[in-house]
């Protein structure tokens, strides 16, 4: 059912241009022309020489920023029915796409498929030579909703679920190449489900320093990952994983 998954970065209008430049730089992509009724949308475009397909879009929004998923499917109506049967909620039904909310509260969209198969962009080499790659959307889920939310995303995607190195993490990975995989994180306290971006890095400290030079802020340093905030104060993580996805 799922043909492609987009990581969609919603960022406040007043900080959108700064954020777009930041994310474009750290992913080594070019900004597409703005589109939409209020020029609120753009896509981060990989170098055409890579023969890779885009996997990240951005939207200027009012209020606080967030991350949601756009899921390209063969038939939006059928996908909506499947999600509703799994206890999702329909938020808005547009002419060509639908906005839904997972049982735990995470917003996502079903969008029409524009491709038969895509090629995710490769890892990016920072100025210091360190490889990084935006390759994961982490779903932050409260303990009460965790089991139901895990069942929902596992059933909806039909992706392979594997346990992470720590008990509070599990990963959903597609059988076909996708620009992002899903990490399910069980939080210590209940709150509506939300999402943030994870980047894989060969050296998390070096990557964090590079991002800080571009306007990001270091929030928390852990053994295997660093929590950062982008120029709009939206959280994301730099994680110690192979950027080539091996």
């Amino acid at each position: 059912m799922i043909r492609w998954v987009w990581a969609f970065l919603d960022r406040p209008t007043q900080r959108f241009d700064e954020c777009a430049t930041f994310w474009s730089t750290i992913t080594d992509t070019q900004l597409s022309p703005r589109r939409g009724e209020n020029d609120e949308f753009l896509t981060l475009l990989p170098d055409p020489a890579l023969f890779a397909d885009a996997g990240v879009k951005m939207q200027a929004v009012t209020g606080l920023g967030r991350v949601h998923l756009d899921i390209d499917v063969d038939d939006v109506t059928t996908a909506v029915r499947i999600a509703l049967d799994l206890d999702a909620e329909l938020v808005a039904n547009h002419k060509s796409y639908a906005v839904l909310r997972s049982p735990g509260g995470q917003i996502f969209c079903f969008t029409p498929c524009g491709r038969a198969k895509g090629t995710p962009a490769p890892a990016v080499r920072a100025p210091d030579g360190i490889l990084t790659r935006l390759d994961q959307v982490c779903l932050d889920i409260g303990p009460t909703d965790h089991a139901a939310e895990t069942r929902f995303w596992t059933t909806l995607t039909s992706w392979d679920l594997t346990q992470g190195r720590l008990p509070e993490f599990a990963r959903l990975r597609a059988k076909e190449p996708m620009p992002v995989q899903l990490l399910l994180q069980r939080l210590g306290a209940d709150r509506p489900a939300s999402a943030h971006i994870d980047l894989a890095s060969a050296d998390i400290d070096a990557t964090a320093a590079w991002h800080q030079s571009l306007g990001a802020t270091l929030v928390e340093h852990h053994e295997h990952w660093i929590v950062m905030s982008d120029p709009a104060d939206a959280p994301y993580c730099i994680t110690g994983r192979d950027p080539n996805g091996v």
Side-chain angles (χ1 to χ4, degrees):
M1 180 181 74
I2 296 176
R3 298 298 184 182
W4 199 248
V5 177
W6 297 86
F8 223 117
L9 283 61
D10 303 316
R11 293 296 183 261
T13 300
Q14 63 271 26
R15 305 295 297 276
F16 186 77
D17 289 340
E18 185 179 359
C19 280
T21 298
F22 172 79
W23 286 99
S24 173
T25 301
I26 67 172
T27 57
D28 193 23
T29 53
Q30 297 296 315
L31 301 178
S32 75
R34 298 277 284 268
R35 59 188 183 275
E37 185 177 347
N38 299 302
D39 288 335
E40 69 269 35
F41 298 108
L42 61 77
T43 303
L44 302 184
L45 302 173
D47 185 339
L50 298 174
F51 298 101
D53 295 290
V56 183
K57 294 181 180 179
M58 299 186 68
Q59 177 180 8
V61 298
T62 58
L64 300 175
R66 66 182 181 191
V67 172
H68 75 267
L69 298 170
D70 266 17
I71 303 174
D72 284 0
V73 293
D74 291 322
D75 187 286
V76 171
T77 301
T78 299
V80 168
R81 290 198 196 102
I82 292 171
L84 294 180
D85 287 343
L86 295 172
D87 295 327
E89 175 188 353
L90 182 63
V91 176
N93 199 11
H94 298 274
K95 183 177 181 180
S96 61
Y97 70 97
V99 183
L100 298 98
R101 184 180 290 112
S102 73
Q106 173 61 41
I107 292 291
F108 66 100
C109 297
F110 284 130
T111 45
C113 177
R115 74 192 79 220
K117 186 178 292 186
T119 301
V124 171
R125 191 171 297 278
D128 61 3
I130 300 299
L131 289 176
T132 65
R133 185 167 175 240
L134 192 165
D135 68 340
Q136 188 165 268
V137 172
C138 180
L139 303 178
D140 302 309
I141 309 163
T144 300
D145 294 325
H146 185 263
E149 196 76 352
T150 299
R151 284 194 299 271
F152 173 79
W153 289 106
T154 303
T155 305
L156 184 72
T157 61
S158 297
W159 292 0
D160 295 329
L161 180 69
T162 57
Q163 180 60 47
R165 70 178 98 186
L166 297 174
E168 64 266 32
F169 295 106
R171 182 169 287 109
L172 279 171
R173 191 189 300 269
K175 299 172 179 65
E176 296 283 339
M178 292 282 173
V180 292
Q181 61 190 2
L182 300 181
L183 183 69
L184 308 177
Q185 177 177 232
R186 186 181 68 247
L187 303 176
D190 281 326
R191 71 181 197 198
S194 60
H196 68 264
I197 293 295
D198 283 349
L199 294 98
S201 171
D203 185 328
I204 61 174
D205 292 296
T207 300
W210 178 42
H211 289 194
Q212 285 177 282
S213 74
L214 298 170
T217 302
L218 193 154
V219 179
E220 293 179 351
H221 195 299
H222 300 268
E223 182 180 0
H224 300 295
W225 72 91
I226 299 175
V227 182
M228 307 287 291
S229 63
D230 74 5
D233 298 324
Y236 70 97
C237 290
I238 302 168
T239 65
R241 294 178 292 113
D242 185 345
N244 290 313
V246 178

